[in-house]
Amino acid sequence: AHCVDAGYATIGYLGSPDGVSVVADARRSGWQDGCRATGRAPGPDRSGPDELDAVRRVADELVAAVGRGGAVV
């Protein structure tokens, strides 16, 4: 709700791949539930390996997919 209240048009998610961590899975579910609770479909969802350069590439792709006026959680 915070990102919607702040006026972000699209809200994307960057996290660990499904099943890697119970905490990461719960975080992704919370993002999905939060988007839906505000009447929005979840935005782009990306994950990457635990390697800095690879995650940086995934993050750059996600920011481009979200676009101007969007947020990444």
Side-chain angles (χ1 to χ4, degrees), residues 6-67:
Y8 292 106
T10 303
I11 304 163
Y13 174 84
L14 177 63
S16 298
D18 286 338
V20 170
S21 161
V22 173
V23 172
D25 290 349
R27 186 172 172 259
R28 177 179 276 110
S29 292
W31 161 73
Q32 292 168 333
D33 293 345
C35 287
R36 290 184 186 114
T38 61
R40 295 175 182 232
D45 180 352
R46 302 287 191 277
S47 59
D50 286 337
E51 197 278 312
L52 183 58
D53 288 334
V55 171
R56 185 176 292 136
R57 285 189 297 275
V58 171
D60 288 344
E61 292 169 8
L62 177 58
V63 168
V66 167

